[in-house]
Amino acid sequence: NAGVTQTPKFRILKIGQSMTLQCTQDMNHNYMYWYRQDPGMGLKLIYYSVGAGITDKGEVPNGYNVSRSTTEDFPLRLELAAPSQTSVYFCASSFSEGVYQPQHFGDGTRLSIL
Amino acid sequence: SQELEQSPQSLIVQEGKNLTINCTSSKTLYGLYWYKQKYGEGLIFLMMLQKGGEEKSHEKITAKLDEKKQQSSLHITASQPSHAGIYLCGAGSPTNFGNEKLTFGTGTRLTIIP
Protein backbone atom coordinates (compact mmCIF):
# COMPACT_ATOMS: atom_id res chain seq x y z
CA ASN A 1 0.00 0.00 0.00
CA ALA A 2 1.89 3.07 -1.25
CA GLY A 3 -0.30 5.76 0.40
CA VAL A 4 0.85 9.29 -0.56
CA THR A 5 3.85 9.40 -2.89
CA GLN A 6 5.85 12.56 -3.55
CA THR A 7 8.49 13.09 -6.21
CA PRO A 8 11.23 14.20 -6.34
CA LYS A 9 12.60 13.73 -2.79
CA PHE A 10 15.29 16.38 -3.25
CA ARG A 11 15.78 19.20 -5.74
CA ILE A 12 18.02 22.22 -6.15
CA LEU A 13 16.75 25.05 -8.32
CA LYS A 14 18.25 28.29 -9.49
CA ILE A 15 16.41 31.55 -8.87
CA GLY A 16 13.83 32.13 -11.58
CA GLN A 17 13.54 28.50 -12.66
CA SER A 18 10.23 26.67 -12.53
CA MET A 19 9.33 23.16 -11.49
CA THR A 20 6.43 20.91 -10.56
CA LEU A 21 6.29 18.89 -7.37
CA GLN A 22 4.36 15.69 -7.93
CA CYS A 23 1.94 14.10 -5.48
CA THR A 24 -0.14 11.00 -6.02
CA GLN A 25 -2.26 8.91 -3.66
CA ASP A 26 -3.76 5.46 -4.09
CA MET A 27 -6.33 5.61 -1.27
CA ASN A 28 -9.15 7.13 -3.35
CA HIS A 29 -9.17 10.22 -1.13
CA ASN A 30 -11.10 13.23 -2.41
CA TYR A 31 -9.31 15.76 -0.21
CA MET A 32 -5.68 16.65 -0.90
CA TYR A 33 -3.37 19.30 0.57
CA TRP A 34 -0.01 20.94 0.07
CA TYR A 35 1.98 22.26 3.05
CA ARG A 36 5.43 23.76 3.44
CA GLN A 37 7.61 23.38 6.51
CA ASP A 38 10.38 25.88 7.16
CA PRO A 39 13.17 25.07 9.67
CA GLY A 40 11.94 25.24 13.24
CA MET A 41 8.42 26.01 12.13
CA GLY A 42 5.21 24.10 11.87
CA LEU A 43 3.55 23.27 8.59
CA LYS A 44 1.70 25.99 6.70
CA LEU A 45 -1.07 25.23 4.20
CA ILE A 46 -0.38 26.36 0.62
CA TYR A 47 -3.35 25.01 -1.34
CA TYR A 48 -5.94 22.30 -0.98
CA SER A 49 -8.39 20.45 -3.22
CA VAL A 50 -11.70 18.77 -2.46
CA GLY A 51 -11.96 16.91 -5.77
CA ALA A 52 -11.05 16.99 -9.44
CA GLY A 53 -11.30 20.55 -10.72
CA ILE A 54 -11.85 22.14 -7.28
CA THR A 55 -9.00 23.88 -5.50
CA ASP A 56 -8.66 26.72 -2.99
CA LYS A 57 -5.93 28.82 -1.41
CA GLY A 58 -4.49 28.15 1.99
CA GLU A 59 -2.46 30.40 4.25
CA VAL A 60 0.61 30.92 2.00
CA PRO A 61 -0.41 30.52 -1.69
CA ASN A 62 1.69 33.28 -3.27
CA GLY A 63 4.23 32.00 -5.80
CA TYR A 64 2.48 28.64 -6.27
CA ASN A 65 -0.16 27.15 -8.52
CA VAL A 66 -2.08 23.91 -8.39
CA SER A 67 -4.42 21.87 -10.53
CA ARG A 68 -6.42 18.71 -9.91
CA SER A 69 -7.47 16.81 -13.00
CA THR A 70 -7.74 13.37 -11.39
CA THR A 71 -8.60 12.03 -7.92
CA GLU A 72 -5.12 10.54 -7.57
CA ASP A 73 -2.85 13.45 -8.51
CA PHE A 74 -2.36 16.94 -7.07
CA PRO A 75 0.76 18.63 -8.50
CA LEU A 76 2.20 21.86 -7.09
CA ARG A 77 3.81 24.29 -9.54
CA LEU A 78 6.49 26.90 -8.76
CA GLU A 79 6.66 29.34 -11.65
CA LEU A 80 9.55 31.67 -10.73
CA ALA A 81 11.56 30.11 -7.93
CA ALA A 82 12.70 32.49 -5.20
CA PRO A 83 15.03 31.85 -2.23
CA SER A 84 12.05 32.31 0.12
CA GLN A 85 10.58 29.14 -1.34
CA THR A 86 13.41 27.03 0.03
CA SER A 87 11.54 24.61 2.26
CA VAL A 88 10.30 21.07 2.74
CA TYR A 89 7.01 20.47 0.95
CA PHE A 90 4.50 17.92 2.14
CA CYS A 91 1.47 16.58 0.34
CA ALA A 92 -1.40 15.04 2.31
CA SER A 93 -4.75 13.44 1.62
CA SER A 94 -7.83 12.45 3.61
CA PHE A 95 -11.20 10.78 3.30
CA SER A 96 -14.21 12.92 2.53
CA GLU A 97 -16.69 10.81 4.49
CA GLY A 98 -17.54 12.06 7.96
CA VAL A 99 -15.93 14.76 10.03
CA TYR A 100 -12.50 14.75 11.62
CA GLN A 101 -10.68 12.52 9.20
CA PRO A 102 -6.90 12.44 9.75
CA GLN A 103 -4.68 13.59 6.93
CA HIS A 104 -2.12 11.11 5.59
CA PHE A 105 1.22 12.60 4.61
CA GLY A 106 3.89 11.83 2.03
CA ASP A 107 7.59 11.81 2.90
CA GLY A 108 8.17 15.31 1.56
CA THR A 109 10.20 17.06 -1.12
CA ARG A 110 13.25 19.00 0.07
CA LEU A 111 13.67 22.01 -2.19
CA SER A 112 16.57 24.47 -2.19
CA ILE A 113 16.55 27.64 -4.29
CA LEU A 114 20.01 29.07 -4.92
CA SER B 1 -6.51 33.04 12.70
CA GLN B 2 -5.85 30.19 15.06
CA GLU B 3 -2.42 29.84 16.63
CA LEU B 4 -1.00 26.81 18.40
CA GLU B 5 1.84 27.00 20.87
CA GLN B 6 3.71 23.88 21.86
CA SER B 7 5.88 23.45 24.90
CA PRO B 8 8.58 22.61 25.45
CA GLN B 9 10.26 23.28 22.11
CA SER B 10 12.74 20.51 22.81
CA LEU B 11 13.01 17.79 25.38
CA ILE B 12 15.83 15.43 26.32
CA VAL B 13 14.68 12.49 28.40
CA GLN B 14 16.45 9.45 29.77
CA GLU B 15 15.12 6.17 28.46
CA GLY B 16 12.44 4.78 30.74
CA LYS B 17 11.28 8.16 32.04
CA ASN B 18 7.85 9.69 31.53
CA LEU B 19 7.29 12.95 29.69
CA THR B 20 4.54 15.38 28.71
CA ILE B 21 4.19 17.71 25.73
CA ASN B 22 1.63 20.51 25.73
CA CYS B 23 -0.30 22.23 22.96
CA THR B 24 -2.21 25.44 23.70
CA SER B 25 -4.61 27.07 21.25
CA SER B 26 -5.62 30.73 20.90
CA LYS B 27 -9.15 29.58 20.03
CA THR B 28 -11.49 26.74 20.95
CA LEU B 29 -10.33 23.46 19.47
CA TYR B 30 -12.79 21.43 17.42
CA GLY B 31 -10.54 18.71 16.16
CA LEU B 32 -7.04 18.33 17.60
CA TYR B 33 -4.59 16.01 15.87
CA TRP B 34 -1.28 14.70 17.14
CA TYR B 35 1.40 13.69 14.65
CA LYS B 36 4.94 12.37 14.94
CA GLN B 37 7.68 13.23 12.46
CA LYS B 38 11.06 11.60 12.02
CA TYR B 39 13.84 13.33 10.11
CA GLY B 40 13.55 12.74 6.40
CA GLU B 41 10.06 11.32 6.69
CA GLY B 42 6.53 12.53 6.61
CA LEU B 43 4.10 12.95 9.47
CA ILE B 44 2.62 9.88 11.10
CA PHE B 45 -0.87 10.26 12.56
CA LEU B 46 -1.04 9.34 16.27
CA MET B 47 -4.41 10.38 17.65
CA MET B 48 -7.33 12.76 17.22
CA LEU B 49 -9.38 14.38 19.98
CA GLN B 50 -12.60 16.32 19.59
CA LYS B 51 -14.59 16.30 22.81
CA GLY B 52 -13.81 18.28 25.95
CA GLY B 53 -12.25 16.01 28.56
CA GLU B 54 -11.53 13.30 25.99
CA GLU B 55 -8.58 11.00 26.51
CA LYS B 56 -7.14 8.44 24.12
CA SER B 57 -4.28 5.98 24.49
CA HIS B 58 -2.24 3.92 22.11
CA GLU B 59 0.50 1.70 23.48
CA LYS B 60 2.48 4.00 25.81
CA ILE B 61 1.14 7.31 24.46
CA THR B 62 -1.87 9.09 25.98
CA ALA B 63 -3.42 12.27 24.60
CA LYS B 64 -5.90 14.46 26.45
CA LEU B 65 -8.06 17.44 25.54
CA ASP B 66 -9.08 19.72 28.41
CA GLU B 67 -12.70 20.50 29.24
CA LYS B 68 -12.49 24.00 27.79
CA LYS B 69 -11.03 22.58 24.56
CA GLN B 70 -8.11 25.02 24.40
CA GLN B 71 -5.28 22.81 25.55
CA SER B 72 -4.11 19.30 24.78
CA SER B 73 -1.33 17.22 26.25
CA LEU B 74 0.57 14.20 25.02
CA HIS B 75 2.03 11.93 27.67
CA ILE B 76 4.55 9.17 27.03
CA THR B 77 5.07 6.55 29.71
CA ALA B 78 8.37 4.69 30.07
CA SER B 79 9.98 6.33 27.04
CA GLN B 80 11.91 4.26 24.50
CA PRO B 81 14.37 5.22 21.75
CA SER B 82 11.59 4.60 19.22
CA HIS B 83 9.69 7.56 20.70
CA ALA B 84 12.37 10.02 19.55
CA GLY B 85 11.26 12.50 16.89
CA ILE B 86 9.27 15.70 16.46
CA TYR B 87 5.75 15.81 17.83
CA LEU B 88 3.31 18.20 16.18
CA CYS B 89 -0.20 19.17 17.18
CA GLY B 90 -2.63 20.33 14.53
CA ALA B 91 -5.97 22.08 14.92
CA GLY B 92 -8.70 21.41 12.40
CA SER B 93 -10.95 24.15 11.09
CA PRO B 94 -13.74 23.75 8.53
CA THR B 95 -13.60 25.19 5.03
CA ASN B 96 -16.53 26.29 2.87
CA PHE B 97 -16.32 22.95 1.10
CA GLY B 98 -16.90 20.92 4.26
CA ASN B 99 -13.40 19.52 4.64
CA GLU B 100 -10.91 20.41 7.35
CA LYS B 101 -7.70 22.37 7.03
CA LEU B 102 -5.03 22.04 9.69
CA THR B 103 -3.05 24.68 11.54
CA PHE B 104 0.07 23.24 13.15
CA GLY B 105 2.14 24.11 16.17
CA THR B 106 5.89 24.56 15.77
CA GLY B 107 6.63 21.11 17.17
CA THR B 108 8.46 19.56 20.11
CA ARG B 109 11.74 17.79 19.39
CA LEU B 110 12.11 14.75 21.65
CA THR B 111 15.47 13.09 22.21
CA ILE B 112 15.76 9.87 24.23
CA ILE B 113 19.13 9.16 25.81
CA PRO B 114 20.14 5.69 27.08
Side-chain angles (χ1 to χ4, degrees):
Chain A
N1 211 359
V4 179
T5 303
Q6 293 184 238
T7 55
K9 292 191 183 301
F10 304 93
R11 185 72 184 270
I12 298 175
L13 281 182
K14 293 183 179 179
I15 296 172
Q17 286 185 321
S18 61
M19 78 163 293
T20 299
L21 282 66
Q22 301 292 345
C23 175
T24 187
Q25 52 90 11
D26 62 359
M27 297 175 283
N28 203 31
H29 288 169
N30 279 331
Y31 299 156
M32 296 187 74
Y33 307 83
W34 274 106
Y35 295 88
R36 59 177 286 174
Q37 183 179 34
D38 298 330
M41 305 291 287
L43 282 73
K44 293 190 183 297
L45 182 63
I46 304 172
Y47 271 97
Y48 67 93
S49 170
V50 297
I54 307 172
T55 63
D56 200 4
K57 296 177 181 178
E59 186 181 355
V60 289
N62 292 342
Y64 307 95
N65 282 302
V66 294
S67 60
R68 182 101 179 266
S69 57
T70 67
T71 300
E72 296 78 19
D73 301 308
F74 189 38
L76 178 72
R77 178 96 178 147
L78 281 72
E79 291 294 349
L80 290 171
S84 61
Q85 294 177 306
T86 293
S87 190
V88 182
Y89 292 83
F90 288 100
C91 178
S93 70
S94 66
F95 278 113
S96 55
E97 299 299 325
V99 192
Y100 307 119
Q101 293 288 350
Q103 294 179 17
H104 301 265
F105 284 79
D107 286 342
T109 293
R110 281 147 188 82
L111 181 63
S112 293
I113 315 294
L114 304 176
Chain B
S1 60
Q2 187 164 27
E3 292 184 358
L4 294 179
E5 184 174 332
Q6 285 186 240
S7 62
Q9 290 185 336
S10 64
L11 195 53
I12 301 174
V13 173
Q14 192 169 25
E15 183 176 352
K17 298 294 186 182
N18 303 336
L19 63 104
T20 300
I21 297 168
N22 294 302
C23 176
T24 302
S25 174
S26 59
K27 296 182 179 181
T28 301
L29 292 162
Y30 291 98
L32 188 284
Y33 298 79
W34 282 101
Y35 285 88
K36 178 185 175 185
Q37 183 181 24
K38 288 193 170 184
Y39 181 77
E41 299 178 15
L43 280 66
I44 299 169
F45 170 69
L46 297 175
M47 277 171 279
M48 187 276 290
L49 306 164
Q50 59 182 102
K51 299 176 183 176
E54 187 174 10
E55 179 175 319
K56 287 185 178 178
S57 294
H58 178 66
E59 297 181 343
K60 295 186 178 181
I61 301 177
T62 299
K64 300 178 184 180
L65 183 60
D66 74 336
E67 290 287 347
K68 293 184 178 180
K69 297 175 64 176
Q70 284 199 276
Q71 186 167 9
S72 178
S73 61
L74 189 79
H75 183 78
I76 298 177
T77 304
S79 58
Q80 300 169 346
S82 60
H83 289 130
I86 300 172
Y87 289 81
L88 292 151
C89 61
S93 59
T95 74
N96 292 334
F97 296 100
N99 63 319
E100 245 188 332
K101 54 184 179 181
L102 295 179
T103 299
F104 284 90
T106 53
T108 295
R109 183 180 296 272
L110 174 62
T111 302
I112 307 296
I113 55 175

